[in-house]
Amino acid sequence: MNWMACELHTHTFHSDGGQSLEELAAGAKALGFDCIALTDHNTMSGLWNKEAVEQQTGMNIIQGMEWTTFFGHMVTLGVKDYIDWRPVGPGDIHAGLARVHEHGGIAGMAHPFRPGSPMCTGCYWEFELRDWNELDYIEVWSTTFAPLKNNNARAFRLWTDKLNEGFRIAATSGRDWHRQEQTDEPLSVTYLLMEEHGGSITDKAVAALSAGRASVTLGPRLDLGVHFGGQLYGIGDAVPEGPSPDHTIELQAAADFEARKEHWELPEQIYTLRFHSNLGMVSELPYAADSKGCNVTLSREGLRWVRAELWGTIRGIRTMIAFTNPIYFDEPGGVITLNDYTISTDHGTQRLYGYAR
Amino acid sequence: MNTLLVNVQGAVTPECSKTHIAYRFFLAKSGGRMKIDFSYSPKNLEDHARARTLIEQGLDRYIEDELREQAKSKWQSYLPLKNLITLSVDDPSGHRGAAHRHDPEQHLFISGLESSPGLSKGALQAGMWTVTLSLHAIVTDDCRYSLQIWHEEDHG
Ligand SMILES: [Zn+2]
Ligand SMILES: [Zn+2]
C-alpha cells in the first residue's frame, strides 16, 4: 500500500469556483499533491474531461460532489452518478446517506461548524443524525492554517467525542479550494493509504477512507502502529480481542519529515508526540525531526481507540501540526494501567499518564 | 424556430428561504438547444442595520457561548449579506446539473454537444422537463426573479 497526499475538497467554475479542472489539477501538482477530489456544489459536470486532465497534468482525480443543501454541506466521494439532494429535509439525512452508500460512495460532514445562513448558506451542519455509524467521516480541518480556527477545533472535539462514544468515524482535512491564489498560510494534507492495484483512484480512495486509513498534517506525515500478538496493526485497523483484557501492546509512531518537504516550512525544534485515546492522553514524548520513531509499551486494558498527534510551533504559534486517524481495539472498556514502557528517541525523558478508575 | 417555453416573473420574501420553486414544462421536440435566462434582484442587503441583526441572530445559533461576543464584534466581516438562488435542470429521464453560483444574472444553455458550466451536455429529449430554483437565502424584504426558457430547434 502507498500513502497518497490528497486534497479532498475543491471546486471549479462548474459551481462557484474560479478555476478550471486543468488549473486546479496543475495547481495541486505544483503543491506536491498526488490526488485531488473534485467536490463541486450540487453538480458533477466538472468531471466531464477528468481522464484528459489526469493525463495532461499527472494528477489523480477522485469523483466527488458537495451536497450543498439548506441544512448542511456534505462532501460525498465515489458516487458515480448524481444523487438528488433537493428532496432531503433536516430530518432525512439518513435517506441521503443510504443512497450514497448504495451507489458505492462515502459521505462526510463538510466544515460542520462554519457559521451558516444567511452568511454562508447551509454551511453549518443542522441535519439530525440519529445513527453516527452511517457517517463515514468528518472534515475536522477546513480551509488554510486549519488547527488555529475555532470552528475546526470544535469539529475536532466533536470527532473525539464520537470516538469516545464508540463510533468509528474517520477525520480529514479539506481546503475548500475555490481558486488559484497565493497564500502564505500552511496548507493541510490528508494522506490516504491506498492499495496498489489496477482499480480507479476513486475506488482506492473510498476504500482507504472508509477503512480509516488517513493521516492529516500541515507538514510531516505521521504514522501509527500497534504491535500485538506478533502482528503489526496500522491506522484504521482494529486490534482483535486479546487472550487477556490487560494484555500488553506496543504503540509506535513516526513522522516522515521527507514527505512533501519542499512544500512546508517548520522551524527547527523538538516536537511533542502524543498518544491520545478514549482514556485521554496515554503518553507524551519529545520528538525530533531526525528521530526514527518512538515506542510505548502499555496494557491495552480499557483502550477503545488510540491516535497519534504531533505538536509543535509553526509561524510562532504552538499548535497541533499533525494527527493520525485511530487504531481501534475490539474490546469493551475498562481500566488502563501502565505497567511498562520504552522510548526510542534520543531526546529527554517521557512523561507517562496513568489512569486508575 | 425558437419557442418560448417558460416566461415567468416572481417575487419572494425572506420567508421563502430554504424552499424550491419548480417549473415543469413540455419540450415537444427532441434535439436542438435549450436557452435559460435567469436573473434576480437585488443581490445584496444594503440595509446594514438589518444585516447586523441577521448576522447577530446567526452567530447566536452558530457560535459557542465563550466565543460569541468576540465573533459578534467582527460582524462586519460577514458583509454584504446576499440573496442566493441557484438553478438546476432535470430532463425526462434524469438530472442535468446545477448552476450553483452567486451571479444574479445567468444566461445558460444546454445542448447535445455543449452546455454551460454546471450543466451536462447531451441531446435534448422530448417530454416533461423541470427547472428548479433553489432559494438558499432571501435576505431582502423583496426579491424579484425572472426566468425565460427557450427551445432553439435549429441550433446544434
Ligand atoms: Zn461547503
Ligand atoms: Zn466546498
Side-chain angles (χ1 to χ4, degrees):
Chain A
M1 293 210 270
N2 258 332
W3 284 106
M4 304 278 272
C6 303
E7 169 51 67
L8 296 176
H9 189 154
T10 70
H11 298 279
T12 68
F13 60 66
H14 283 261
S15 61
D16 61 352
Q19 58 191 344
S20 65
L21 186 57
E22 292 91 323
E23 290 164 340
L24 168 62
K29 189 83 187 171
L31 290 171
F33 285 96
D34 300 312
C35 196
I36 52 170
L38 178 61
T39 54
D40 264 322
H41 300 291
N42 297 339
T43 185
M44 297 177 76
S45 68
L47 290 160
W48 72 276
N49 61 344
K50 173 169 96 73
E51 282 77 20
V53 173
E54 285 180 319
Q55 281 182 7
Q56 189 187 315
T57 60
M59 182 58 43
N60 296 292
I61 301 171
I62 301 165
Q63 303 199 166
M65 188 179 98
E66 183 176 9
W67 278 42
T68 308
T69 82
F70 303 153
F71 313 105
H73 290 194
M74 182 168 85
V75 267
T76 66
L77 301 177
V79 175
K80 306 286 184 288
D81 296 303
Y82 171 85
I83 297 177
D84 202 353
W85 65 274
R86 293 166 301 183
V88 175
D92 309 328
I93 196 60
H94 284 288
L97 286 165
R99 294 201 59 204
V100 169
H101 293 143
E102 273 163 32
H103 285 74
I106 52 174
M109 281 179 168
H111 48 70
F113 297 113
R114 185 184 297 174
S117 304
M119 294 87 93
C120 178
T121 61
C123 287
Y124 186 92
W125 183 275
E126 295 178 280
F127 285 116
E128 181 199 348
L129 257 184
R130 292 178 295 277
D131 181 0
W132 285 78
N133 286 311
E134 294 293 306
L135 186 75
D136 299 288
Y137 65 103
I138 302 173
E139 184 185 82
V140 297
W141 277 9
S142 177
T143 70
T144 55
F145 216 163
L148 263 54
K149 303 204 164 139
N150 292 327
N151 303 337
N152 291 333
R154 193 173 170 196
F156 198 90
R157 282 203 311 276
L158 170 72
W159 177 50
T160 302
D161 289 347
K162 292 302 155 189
L163 294 175
N164 286 341
E165 288 168 29
F167 299 105
R168 294 180 176 181
I169 299 174
T172 64
S173 64
R175 179 168 171 181
D176 209 349
W177 196 3
H178 279 76
R179 51 192 55 82
Q180 292 300 310
E181 58 193 354
Q182 283 303 114
T183 175
D184 290 337
E185 301 215 327
L187 302 177
S188 311
V189 179
T190 297
Y191 282 93
L192 294 179
L193 185 59
M194 297 198 198
E195 288 159 354
E196 291 165 78
H197 57 63
S200 74
I201 193 74
T202 296
D203 290 346
K204 291 181 202 175
V206 165
L209 190 49
S210 52
R213 295 194 301 267
S215 186
V216 178
T217 185
L218 298 179
R221 178 177 58 75
L222 192 57
D223 205 351
L224 172 69
V226 170
H227 271 289
F228 171 76
Q231 291 266 15
L232 177 64
Y233 297 88
I235 293 172
D237 287 345
V239 180
E241 278 188 44
S244 65
D246 61 348
H247 203 282
T248 296
I249 56 166
E250 183 185 273
L251 304 178
Q252 57 176 59
D256 179 359
F257 279 75
E258 293 297 307
R260 277 183 77 255
K261 70 173 176 191
E262 311 78 35
H263 302 287
W264 47 267
E265 223 185 308
L266 285 163
E268 207 162 297
Q269 61 188 295
I270 301 299
Y271 299 89
T272 303
L273 188 97
R274 291 179 178 167
F275 293 102
H276 197 97
S277 78
N278 57 301
L279 303 168
M281 186 157 46
V282 289
S283 178
E284 183 180 78
L285 337 157
Y287 196 94
D290 59 359
S291 167
K292 299 271 181 297
C294 56
N295 308 307
V296 178
T297 305
L298 74 166
S299 161
R300 66 176 287 172
E301 198 166 358
L303 278 182
R304 298 176 84 175
W305 61 270
V306 63
R307 73 172 171 242
E309 301 171 0
L310 188 71
W311 289 70
T313 299
I314 180 166
R315 308 291 160 87
I317 300 166
R318 188 168 169 77
T319 183
M320 193 190 292
I321 289 170
F323 64 92
T324 69
N325 272 254
I327 294 175
Y328 299 96
F329 295 87
D330 278 343
E331 223 158 14
V335 176
I336 180 171
T337 45
L338 295 161
N339 55 2
D340 187 18
Y341 60 89
T342 55
I343 312 165
S344 66
T345 60
D346 309 330
H347 300 273
T349 53
Q350 77 165 90
R351 287 154 59 203
L352 282 176
Y353 296 80
Y355 295 86
R357 286 196 302 211
Chain B
M1 202 177 80
N2 293 351
T3 311
L4 183 59
L5 300 169
V6 172
N7 182 14
V8 63
Q9 282 79 41
V12 290
T13 63
E15 295 72 29
C16 305
S17 295
K18 304 189 181 185
T19 65
H20 302 278
I21 302 171
Y23 290 97
R24 190 156 292 176
F25 56 94
F26 181 57
L27 187 74
K29 235 176 125 182
S30 293
R33 178 169 113 138
M34 189 177 289
K35 192 159 80 85
I36 302 169
D37 289 331
F38 170 59
S39 63
Y40 58 95
S41 174
K43 180 64 188 173
N44 295 340
L45 175 60
E46 302 295 350
D47 177 350
H48 282 193
R50 176 83 190 126
R52 182 175 185 167
T53 306
L54 292 175
I55 291 165
E56 290 186 343
Q57 281 169 357
L59 297 175
D60 279 336
R61 271 178 81 173
Y62 304 129
I63 305 287
E64 293 175 294
D65 296 349
E66 57 276 22
L67 298 169
R68 191 172 298 130
E69 287 316 308
Q70 185 201 341
K72 280 187 182 176
S73 70
K74 295 185 198 143
W75 67 276
Q76 293 184 59
S77 67
Y78 295 102
L79 294 177
L81 290 187
K82 300 187 210 92
N83 291 329
L84 177 62
I85 306 178
T86 63
L87 182 150
S88 52
V89 181
D90 295 84
D91 74 11
S93 49
H95 191 64
R96 296 295 292 263
H100 187 103
R101 55 186 73 101
H102 264 282
D103 310 45
E105 186 177 333
Q106 300 190 24
H107 302 283
L108 306 166
F109 68 94
I110 186 164
S111 73
L113 297 174
E114 280 185 308
S115 60
S116 301
L119 304 179
S120 33
K121 59 193 167 202
L124 304 189
Q125 194 187 330
M128 291 306 292
W129 284 62
T130 307
V131 164
T132 303
L133 305 182
S134 297
L135 283 57
H136 295 264
I138 303 297
V139 289
T140 57
D141 286 338
D142 185 45
C143 176
R144 303 291 167 121
Y145 68 88
S146 156
L147 175 70
Q148 279 90 39
I149 304 173
W150 302 81
H151 188 204
E152 302 175 337
E153 288 173 28
D154 307 324
H155 206 292

